[in-house]
C-alpha cells in the first residue's frame, strides 16, 4: 500500500512539473499579413468589415453586441507563425459569423484578449503558441456601420 502511495505521489509530481514547463510563447504578429491569407471555408467574403482598435471606420449606426472569441488550433508540424495566422483567421471567422447572425456589417474596436488581458493595436494581434496548440482571443463590438 505504501508503494502505491509513493508511486502515485511521484506520478503527480512528474505531471505537475511537466505542465509547469509547457511552452507558451507570446507572439505579436501583423494583422494585415494574417488577413491576406484566405480562410479555407471562404466565410470571410467582405460582407463584414474588421476594424482594430485605433483604426478609422465609418460612423456606427447601431451597436448590436460585444463579443469575445477564443480560438485554438493544432500547432503540431507548423511554425508558430503559421499556426498563429491560421488561428487568427479562425477568430475572425467566428466574429464574422456572429456579426451576420446579429445583422451587423462590421466589427470595430477589436483588441487581443488573451487570458482576459487587452492588447490594443491597429497593426498587431497577440498569439500564444505551445508545442501542440496555438491560441488567439479577440474582443470587439458588433455594429452596423454606414455604407460608403
Amino acid at each position: 500500500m505504501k508503494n502505491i502511495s509513493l508511486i502515485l505521489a511521484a506520478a503527480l509530481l512528474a505531471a505537475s512539473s511537466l505542465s509547469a514547463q509547457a511552452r507558451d510563447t507570446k507572439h505579436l504578429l501583423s494583422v494585415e499579413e494574417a488577413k491576406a491569407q484566405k480562410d479555407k471555408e471562404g466565410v470571410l467574403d467582405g460582407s463584414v468589415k474588421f476594424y482594430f482598435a485605433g483604426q478609422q471606420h465609418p460612423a456606427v449606426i447601431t451597436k448590436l453586441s460585444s463579443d469575445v472569441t477564443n480560438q485554438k488550433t493544432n500547432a503540431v508540424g507548423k511554425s508558430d507563425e503559421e499556426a498563429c495566422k491560421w488561428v487568427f483567421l479562425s477568430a475572425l471567422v467566428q466574429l464574422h459569423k456572429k456579426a451576420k447572425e446579429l445583422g451587423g456589417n462590421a466589427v470595430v474596436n477589436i483588441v487581443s484578449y488573451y487570458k482576459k488581458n487587452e492588447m490594443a493595436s491597429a497593426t498587431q494581434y497577440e498569439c500564444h503558441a505551445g508545442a501542440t496548440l496555438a491560441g488567439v482571443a479577440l474582443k470587439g463590438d458588433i455594429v452596423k456601420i454606414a455604407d460608403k
Side-chain angles (χ1 to χ4, degrees):
M1 187 65 146
K2 202 176 211 183
N3 286 342
I4 292 173
S5 295
L6 286 175
I7 291 170
L8 285 174
L12 287 172
L13 183 61
S16 68
S17 68
L18 285 176
S19 65
Q21 294 175 3
R23 186 167 73 89
D24 184 16
T25 306
K26 176 181 173 180
H27 296 279
L28 298 178
L29 299 169
S30 167
V31 167
E32 288 308 313
E33 282 182 28
K35 283 171 61 176
Q37 290 187 169
K38 294 288 183 195
D39 67 293
K40 68 179 178 182
E41 297 99 21
V43 172
L44 301 176
D45 59 7
S47 62
V48 173
K49 305 293 184 203
F50 299 100
Y51 298 94
F52 284 75
Q55 288 183 318
Q56 293 292 324
H57 56 78
V60 172
I61 298 169
T62 308
K63 179 179 174 183
L64 302 168
S65 180
S66 291
D67 197 33
V68 174
T69 179
N70 185 2
Q71 299 298 304
K72 306 282 189 236
T73 194
N74 181 343
V76 175
K78 299 178 183 99
S79 70
D80 284 2
E81 188 171 335
E82 181 184 4
C84 284
K85 285 180 181 179
W86 189 254
V87 74
F88 173 78
L89 284 178
S90 295
L92 289 184
V93 164
Q94 292 306 307
L95 289 173
H96 181 282
K97 286 178 179 178
K98 187 68 170 186
K100 294 297 277 185
E101 176 185 309
L102 296 174
N105 62 358
V107 183
V108 300
N109 305 320
I110 301 171
V111 296
S112 291
Y113 199 59
Y114 191 78
K115 293 188 178 178
K116 298 185 180 180
N117 294 311
E118 285 190 20
M119 195 279 299
S121 173
T123 60
Q124 293 182 314
Y125 67 96
E126 182 176 349
C127 175
H128 285 251
T132 59
L133 290 175
V136 168
L138 299 176
K139 179 171 88 168
D141 298 325
I142 297 170
V143 299
K144 280 191 178 187
I145 57 173
D147 288 330
K148 287 186 172 182

